[in-house]
Amino acid sequence: MRDLVADNIDLLARNVTENASRTGEHYIADTRRQLGQMFLSSAGAGFIVGVMALIKILFGYLRAAPLVEAFLFSLNYSLGFVLIHVLHFTIATKQPAMTAARIAAELSVKEGRRLDIDSMAELVNKVFRTQFIAVLGNLATVLPAAWAIAFGWQWITGDHLVAPHKALGLLHDIDPINSLALFYAAIAGVCLFVAGLISGYYDNKALYTRMAQRVSQLRWLGRLLGPARLPRFAAYVENNLGGLMGNFFFGILLGTMGTLGYLLGLPLDIRHVTFSAANFSTAMVALDYNVTWRLVALSVAGFFAIGTVNLVVSFGLALWVALRAREIHFDQGIALLKSLGRRFVAAPIQFFIGPKDSVPGEPGISARGTK
């Protein structure tokens, strides 16, 4: 029975990561035009996160019971992330679980043949620069959006959105040295990884059960939507079920982790780069910018470090599972790092923004939200 269960788990992991690798193709930009589209897609998500950060602060002022507060926080996160997906925007930290599976798929294709390290380094470089641009896109809008909300709140009500002591607490929460911010960022990375598995599971379930055909047979839904809209809705459900469920459960994980730590008396909480940047802008307005440059530098370094830990943990776990699912033993990591180093030294600017587009009008990537 143990072997049977292990074989079925391996098959399920293979199917989950296979669907994730197909999704990951949408998160890898080949040209600067595609990078620009990814920037715009992630910038839209940054604005929504700024509003979500405001709602979370307002929910905190209700002083609700711990479980009620966890429910409200989860509702805010889940609906916000689902909205980001529906609008085809991108949260940068949700990408690694998909792109890691794409790299593992590439290794699987090369299995049995000599692996071209330079080609693999090019793929990893594309993944890195796409992640980099997506993070910048999130931060480019969440910082001014959160600042505008906090400033507008003060202008309309005459009071700061958060009190000075609360603002100092927000800055302490993203302190990478004097707080557990990086540890909590690692927990958020695990949540991102789990959300990626959930997304892949439901993508696999939608394909295996032929979800579009099943939905299109619902008579009551046909009467509600009409015969013209029903097939489009059914196709949308099949193609996006994984993304919707992954985002929904990711919101629940983020919303309940802090409460779970409080109830158990354990150091459990989350730190997410985009929300940390929003809290930084909110705190600056609340303190009337009366802060030292050292505190500003430490806070900025803090949310960048949080983002790095978010990405590294989620990417590492997703890549490990994808490699295990395909029974791949990759032992050329040093050679891959050397190849990446040579590419960086030869063209440091292109390493981050890619080479100039040689073919005008090339179709861009599909920024399909936060699967």
Side-chain angles (χ1 to χ4, degrees):
M1 289 297 297
R2 184 188 305 170
D3 293 339
L4 178 63
V5 171
D7 289 342
N8 279 274
I9 290 176
D10 288 342
L11 287 173
L12 179 61
R14 178 67 179 265
N15 287 331
V16 166
T17 55
E18 180 67 22
N19 288 312
S21 69
R22 293 170 186 160
T23 304
E25 295 177 359
H26 300 297
Y27 294 112
I28 302 177
D30 292 319
T31 65
R32 289 187 181 180
R33 184 188 178 197
Q34 294 175 359
L35 285 173
Q37 292 180 351
M38 178 57 72
F39 181 87
L40 294 176
S41 174
S42 55
F47 176 79
I48 295 178
V49 169
V51 178
M52 293 167 63
L54 165 68
I55 296 174
K56 183 177 184 295
I57 291 173
L58 296 179
F59 279 160
Y61 285 151
L62 296 177
R63 305 295 182 187
L67 292 180
V68 175
E69 188 175 68
F71 171 77
L72 293 175
F73 287 169
S74 300
L75 187 66
N76 177 41
Y77 285 129
S78 295
L79 295 182
F81 289 138
V82 169
L83 177 63
I84 288 172
H85 176 84
V86 170
L87 295 177
H88 304 319
F89 293 151
T90 303
I91 290 287
T93 51
K94 288 298 298 297
Q95 296 173 284
M98 309 302 171
T99 53
R102 174 68 180 85
I103 293 175
E106 182 71 15
L107 289 172
S108 179
V109 171
K110 299 292 185 180
E111 190 175 8
R113 293 181 290 171
R114 183 177 179 274
L115 180 64
D116 187 348
I117 292 296
D118 289 334
S119 297
M120 181 56 62
E122 182 179 1
L123 175 61
V124 173
N125 188 196
K126 290 179 181 179
V127 170
F128 169 79
R129 73 168 67 108
T130 308
Q131 303 290 314
F132 176 75
I133 292 297
V135 170
L136 290 183
N138 287 163
L139 296 180
T141 49
V142 73
L143 287 168
W147 177 88
I149 289 172
F151 181 82
W153 184 279
Q154 180 188 11
W155 184 71
I156 294 173
T157 66
D159 296 321
H160 286 298
L161 179 59
V162 298
H165 69 277
K166 174 66 174 179
L168 291 174
L170 292 176
L171 294 180
H172 176 74
D173 288 343
I174 61 176
D175 189 330
I177 300 175
N178 302 308
S179 73
L180 294 176
L182 299 185
F183 175 71
Y184 294 153
I187 295 178
V190 175
C191 293
L192 287 161
F193 160 70
V194 173
L197 290 183
I198 293 173
S199 179
Y201 170 80
Y202 277 99
D203 272 335
N204 178 66
K205 184 179 180 66
L207 292 174
Y208 180 75
T209 60
R210 299 180 180 179
M211 186 67 67
Q213 296 183 24
R214 295 165 67 92
V215 172
S216 62
Q217 298 301 316
L218 297 176
R219 295 180 180 178
W220 65 270
L221 189 60
R223 290 192 295 268
L224 179 64
L225 297 179
R229 294 189 182 92
L230 181 60
R232 295 199 299 268
F233 178 77
Y236 181 85
V237 170
E238 179 172 299
N239 294 329
N240 294 271
L241 182 64
L244 294 172
M245 297 304 295
N247 282 290
F248 181 78
F249 281 106
F250 179 53
I252 294 176
L253 290 172
L254 294 189
T256 57
M257 191 60 65
T259 302
L260 183 63
Y262 171 76
L263 295 176
L264 298 178
L266 297 175
L268 297 177
D269 207 342
I270 59 99
R271 294 291 181 270
H272 188 275
V273 54
T274 318
F275 288 94
S276 297
N279 291 338
F280 169 76
S281 291
T282 302
M284 288 295 103
V285 176
L287 295 172
D288 294 318
Y289 316 104
N290 293 323
V291 293
T292 63
W293 68 267
R294 290 183 178 85
L295 180 58
V296 173
L298 186 63
S299 300
V300 172
F303 64 71
F304 272 108
I306 288 170
T308 301
V309 174
N310 290 158
L311 294 172
V312 169
V313 171
S314 58
F315 181 83
L317 290 173
L319 182 60
W320 177 73
V321 169
L323 292 176
R324 288 291 300 270
R326 289 174 169 80
E327 299 181 354
I328 299 174
H329 302 283
F330 181 67
D331 56 358
Q332 302 184 53
I334 301 299
L336 180 60
L337 290 176
K338 289 181 178 179
S339 180
L340 287 171
R342 289 193 296 269
R343 297 174 69 88
F344 176 76
V345 172
I349 297 179
Q350 292 185 10
F351 190 86
F352 289 96
I353 64 174
K356 293 183 179 181
D357 299 347
S358 57
V359 181
E362 186 178 351
I365 58 176
S366 173
R368 294 289 300 168
T370 58
K371 284 189 178 180

